[in-house]
Amino acid sequence: MRSTFILCLLMAGSCHFTYSQSAKNAVSKFGDISVKDFEPVLYPIDSNAKAVILYDGGIATYKSDGKTWFNVVYTYTRRFRIMNKSAFGLATVQIPIYKSEDAEDRIEKLEAYTYNLENGKVVSTKLDKESIFNDKASKTYLIKKFTMPDLKEGCIVEYRYTIISPSPGFLRGWTFHDAYPVLTSEYDITVPNLFNYVVLKSGYFDLSPRIAEEGTQFFTIRSSDSPFASSDVFSFQAVTVHNKWILNDLPAMVSENYTTTMRNHLSRVEFQLKSLNFPNQDPQIRIGSWEQLMSVMLKDKEFGADLGENNKWMENDLRSLVVADQKQTAANIFGFVRDNFVCTDHDAIYMTATLKSAYQAKKGNVAEINLVLAAMLRKAGITAEPVMLSTKDHGIAYQLYPLVNKFNYIITRAEIGNTKYLLDASRKKMGFNRLPEYVYNGYGRVINENAEAIPFSPDSIMQKKRTTVYISNSADGKKLEGTLNSDLGYYESYDLREKLAGTGKDDYLKKLTAGYGFDITVTNANLDSLGKYDEPVSLHYDFGFALNEDMVYFNPLMSEAYKTNPFSAAKRNYPVEMPYTTDETIVVNMEIPTGYVVVEMPKSERLSFNENEGMFEYLVKADKQMIQLKCRLTLNRSFFMPEDYSGLREFFGHIVKKQSEQIVFKKK
């Protein structure tokens, strides 16, 4: 009988088995720590590492004791070395224990030691059981927590424990990476083929199992609802599937600039129960189709059941919102919900209250607010449907499998004529047919009978900004005066609106001079379109400054230049994820200061990145009276693979250097 255990690599590549090979890094048995283990002064994988994970291992097996249904037995072992006291936090361990009304995990055989080298001998310090504490993390999870004793720089810490789980349909996943480099990480599972799992893989390392083989295992279980026999205790032999993953020499994975969530990039295997396959019975399907999932959600009282058009309690508010033009009606309803409802939670796909109660309370989670929006649009005769998606900090949702827990956000799609509008009324300062940049994260699903997939790519949105500066001599010739006009990009405008909600417009305008490296006076500062959420914001101000030295060094980009390279790390092991594409232009027209001549000026240049994926140009020219400058940066992609990183870092390094160049004026 062939196994039904399914392996599916979702990120890239094909699925295949490779058979047993020896691990690259030899791993000693638990407790077998020798003087030799303390010899490395640094580790080649990362000579600057504050700590190194020497071994990280997990084993998952299915057991039966004749007293219960199946149990899953997890055994975890971890060994690491602390090279610097700044990594002492690694020695505080938290173990999540699942607990509910129906099932509760239990932890057994917890043992932990700290090893130090003293006078040429290995000295061990055992964790005192009195030092283990329990914290309640949520209704369903308890955290068992302890901190290892006798920590010193160079010490080795080792611990292991076993968790017995009475939830055989839930198989824990495994993350191979860590915030510190890992020498060896392995996960070993043996599953009876009664449980058919889909394996979901992420990351950029080959996650083909080192071992992939079949075997048999004898079980004796107790169940009052047995599919095998009339007795509540029965024994049988089942085919098992044994898989073992081993990865070696994994670099540290630490979040850097332009990272959505590290969850997308850590090498990881997860398991989703697809079906239960009992002998002589049809499979019990646990993962159906997208269409089946949507049918269930639309009937669910916590989701779509209240979206019908018979919600009469909305009629009073709708009377003033509905007009002849349907798009204007949709905009009116959207503005009403956005401006009058308060979002209490931006991480939800189900309602916690009825639609009517959320409507009357004028508050709710993101699902409740946008489902109210959908219901009001439908009541007004506009086609509207919820859309389920995953935000960037929640991780990429799998497009292939209908897994609800991979989604955490609801928006609404309205359809008027042949045009579709995507709406999110949970954000107070978001415009009509605008979405927060954090929802552009893979694919979403329309909650209807067709379960239509909608792409949400950061490449589809652009941050377009244009700044114009004009500088001239004052009437008395003693100083320079100028004006700056900047049309901000939409998302920069949104961020500014959010910022001003806390600091205030006046306080922001007073701090404009902070971006300049010299004394400057700012007057007549103003922000336009702050309250027009469908439009970007425009910034305007006048400024003035004096030139008093014989030699003057002046940066014509003033406060608009990049000051530092956003890519500071020498190497990156996962992609760069920018929130959107970019088109930024700065135009400067400047009169040469009275009484001065130009003795040095930056040279014009153009620089491309990966042919047409990015472009930087710095064009400058001068005559006896005027200097004209145009500086433009465009990025036509938002996602760059690790192999592009060094080129991207060099590209931005050149931009920073070029934008820091100055014009040198000399007094006549």
Side-chain angles (χ1 to χ4, degrees):
M1 179 178 179
R2 295 299 301 164
S3 166
T4 55
F5 195 82
I6 297 176
L7 295 180
C8 183
L9 181 59
L10 296 178
M11 295 300 292
S14 59
C15 304
H16 62 280
F17 288 150
T18 56
Y19 288 88
S20 180
Q21 302 174 15
S22 60
K24 180 180 178 181
N25 295 307
V27 179
S28 58
K29 295 180 180 179
F30 185 84
D32 186 10
I33 305 297
S34 67
V35 173
K36 187 176 181 181
D37 294 314
F38 291 88
E39 289 179 357
V41 177
L42 53 84
Y43 291 83
I45 187 174
D46 186 346
S47 59
N48 296 314
K50 303 296 190 278
V52 176
I53 311 299
L54 305 176
Y55 175 74
D56 214 16
I59 301 173
T61 57
Y62 279 68
K63 301 292 184 182
S64 62
D65 55 12
K67 300 177 182 179
T68 61
W69 184 236
F70 291 97
N71 287 323
V72 188
V73 180
Y74 301 95
T75 301
Y76 291 87
T77 305
R78 170 169 269 214
R79 180 185 305 138
F80 56 88
R81 189 172 180 201
I82 297 177
M83 309 302 291
N84 186 284
K85 62 182 179 181
S86 63
F88 279 174
L90 188 60
T92 296
V93 182
Q94 299 188 52
I95 306 170
I97 307 295
Y98 179 77
K99 182 178 181 180
S100 69
E101 295 179 0
D102 302 323
E104 181 177 347
D105 295 348
R106 69 180 189 272
I107 189 167
E108 297 181 349
K109 301 177 183 178
L110 171 59
E111 50 184 332
Y113 298 87
T114 301
Y115 301 92
N116 283 288
L117 191 63
E118 298 179 5
N119 300 320
K121 295 182 178 181
V122 177
V123 178
S124 66
T125 304
K126 186 176 182 179
L127 175 70
D128 187 348
K129 292 184 178 180
E130 300 298 322
S131 301
I132 302 174
F133 303 95
N134 291 331
D135 286 338
K136 187 175 181 181
S138 66
K139 291 181 180 180
T140 55
Y141 276 96
L142 181 74
I143 300 295
K144 194 168 287 287
K145 183 177 180 180
F146 58 86
T147 299
M148 296 300 298
D150 201 21
L151 298 176
K152 299 175 184 177
E153 290 187 342
C155 70
I156 294 174
V157 173
E158 185 178 50
Y159 61 86
R160 70 178 175 184
Y161 57 87
T162 297
I163 292 178
I164 312 296
S165 172
S167 304
F170 173 73
L171 183 61
R172 298 183 184 213
W174 185 261
T175 301
F176 296 89
H177 277 106
D178 196 273
Y180 297 96
V182 180
L183 298 190
T184 297
S185 180
E186 61 183 35
Y187 194 36
D188 188 314
I189 65 172
T190 303
V191 182
N193 68 347
L194 308 173
F195 300 91
N196 177 14
Y197 286 97
V198 171
V199 182
L200 308 173
K201 301 180 182 182
S202 60
Y204 308 96
F205 283 72
D206 181 9
L207 289 179
S208 303
R210 288 281 182 92
I211 297 175
E213 59 190 11
E214 289 186 350
T216 58
Q217 187 173 347
F218 195 80
F219 295 95
T220 298
I221 62 178
R222 178 184 293 272
S223 174
S224 58
D225 187 23
S226 165
F228 299 104
S230 57
S231 171
D232 63 348
V233 178
F234 53 95
S235 301
F236 63 97
Q237 184 169 278
V239 174
T240 59
V241 178
H242 176 210
N243 277 218
K244 185 174 184 178
W245 291 268
I246 303 174
L247 292 183
N248 295 294
D249 297 331
L250 298 169
M253 295 289 275
V254 181
S255 182
E256 298 172 7
N257 286 337
Y258 299 115
T259 304
T260 54
T261 174
M262 290 303 298
R263 189 181 297 111
N264 287 337
H265 310 303
L266 301 177
S267 292
R268 179 173 174 80
V269 290
E270 296 179 276
F271 307 92
Q272 188 73 33
L273 184 64
K274 182 176 183 180
S275 64
L276 294 172
N277 301 326
F278 296 126
N280 304 319
Q281 290 192 359
D282 293 333
Q284 298 179 22
I285 304 299
R286 297 301 175 91
I287 298 180
S289 65
W290 278 106
E291 290 77 11
Q292 290 170 327
L293 173 62
M294 298 311 174
S295 177
V296 171
M297 293 187 73
L298 288 171
K299 295 174 183 177
D300 196 320
K301 291 182 179 180
E302 295 180 346
F303 192 83
D306 284 345
L307 290 179
E309 298 175 12
N310 295 320
N311 299 315
K312 294 184 179 180
W313 33 270
M314 297 179 174
E315 291 178 352
N316 286 337
D317 289 323
L318 282 171
R319 287 192 187 99
S320 62
L321 302 173
V322 176
V323 294
D325 182 80
Q326 277 202 319
K327 181 180 177 182
Q328 187 59 52
T329 296
N332 291 344
I333 294 172
F334 169 79
F336 171 80
V337 177
R338 178 196 62 196
D339 297 339
N340 292 283
F341 285 68
V342 175
C343 186
T344 57
D345 184 3
H346 282 94
D347 187 351
I349 61 170
Y350 286 105
M351 296 190 296
T352 58
T354 66
L355 208 62
K356 183 177 180 179
S357 61
Y359 188 90
Q360 291 173 336
K362 295 293 188 291
K363 66 179 180 180
N365 62 35
V366 63
E368 289 162 341
I369 288 177
N370 283 320
L371 289 173
V372 164
L373 173 62
M376 291 187 73
L377 290 168
R378 288 186 178 188
K379 187 68 175 175
I382 297 172
T383 300
E385 296 165 314
V387 179
M388 179 171 63
L389 47 81
S390 176
T391 57
K392 289 178 179 178
D393 61 353
H394 190 253
I396 292 287
Y398 296 105
Q399 187 182 359
L400 182 59
Y401 295 105
L403 307 177
V404 177
N405 64 344
K406 296 298 181 182
F407 296 86
N408 72 322
Y409 207 84
I410 297 292
I411 62 171
T412 290
R413 185 178 75 174
E415 186 172 353
I416 301 171
N418 295 322
T419 305
K420 295 180 175 67
Y421 302 90
L422 297 174
L423 310 172
D424 181 6
S426 72
R427 289 293 182 182
K428 286 292 185 186
K429 295 174 176 59
M430 190 58 57
F432 182 78
N433 201 32
R434 299 277 193 175
L435 297 176
E437 57 85 12
Y438 57 73
V439 309
Y440 288 90
N441 185 44
Y443 282 82
R445 287 279 175 175
V446 181
I447 313 299
N448 60 18
E449 60 183 10
N450 298 320
E452 177 188 349
I454 303 178
F456 287 88
S457 170
D459 286 351
S460 67
I461 54 175
M462 175 173 281
Q463 173 81 354
K464 194 167 186 176
K465 179 179 181 180
R466 183 179 178 87
T467 301
T468 303
V469 179
Y470 183 80
I471 304 173
S472 60
N473 289 287
S474 62
D476 58 11
K478 295 182 178 180
K479 64 178 183 177
L480 291 173
E481 299 173 332
T483 60
L484 181 145
N485 296 285
S486 185
D487 297 322
L488 309 184
Y490 186 81
Y491 289 102
E492 185 179 3
S493 300
Y494 177 82
D495 292 340
L496 179 59
R497 289 176 174 122
E498 287 288 307
K499 180 179 180 180
L500 296 183
T503 62
K505 176 180 174 180
D506 292 340
D507 187 55
Y508 169 79
L509 294 175
K510 287 178 182 177
K511 295 179 179 179
L512 286 174
T513 57
Y516 294 93
F518 54 91
D519 291 335
I520 189 170
T521 302
V522 172
T523 57
N524 301 321
N526 193 32
L527 291 166
D528 292 339
S529 302
L530 270 179
K532 298 178 180 179
Y533 301 147
D534 297 347
E535 301 175 10
V537 172
S538 294
L539 169 65
H540 313 277
Y541 60 83
D542 299 329
F543 59 87
F545 57 94
L547 301 181
N548 299 316
E549 304 295 328
D550 290 339
M551 298 288 291
V552 175
Y553 299 85
F554 177 71
N555 187 331
L557 297 179
M558 301 174 69
S559 64
E560 300 297 308
Y562 278 87
K563 303 297 191 298
T564 59
N565 191 335
F567 305 106
S568 57
K571 185 178 179 181
R572 184 154 168 159
N573 299 303
Y574 56 91
V576 172
E577 301 167 288
M578 294 185 171
Y580 30 66
T581 60
T582 300
D583 186 349
E584 299 176 351
T585 302
I586 308 167
V587 176
V588 179
N589 288 283
M590 178 182 185
E591 287 186 358
I592 295 175
T594 301
Y596 286 85
V597 294
V598 177
V599 295
E600 188 175 334
M601 192 167 64
K603 294 181 180 180
S604 296
E605 66 174 39
R606 284 189 178 93
L607 181 68
S608 63
F609 175 71
N610 282 0
E611 295 183 355
N612 62 347
E613 292 179 1
M615 183 274 295
F616 172 72
E617 65 177 6
Y618 189 104
L619 307 177
V620 60
K621 63 179 181 178
D623 56 27
K624 293 182 179 180
Q625 295 180 324
M626 294 289 297
I627 298 171
Q628 294 177 307
L629 168 67
K630 179 183 178 182
C631 184
R632 187 182 184 193
L633 168 65
T634 61
L635 284 175
N636 301 316
R637 279 178 56 196
S638 62
F639 187 90
F640 299 91
M641 292 299 289
E643 53 265 31
D644 292 322
Y645 178 75
S646 61
L648 192 65
R649 181 172 183 254
E650 183 179 348
F651 180 67
F652 270 88
H654 189 86
I655 292 171
V656 171
K657 182 179 179 181
K658 190 64 181 178
Q659 290 189 341
S660 68
E661 291 182 358
Q662 298 175 316
I663 300 173
V664 181
F665 298 105
K666 182 180 180 181
K667 186 175 287 187
K668 292 180 182 179

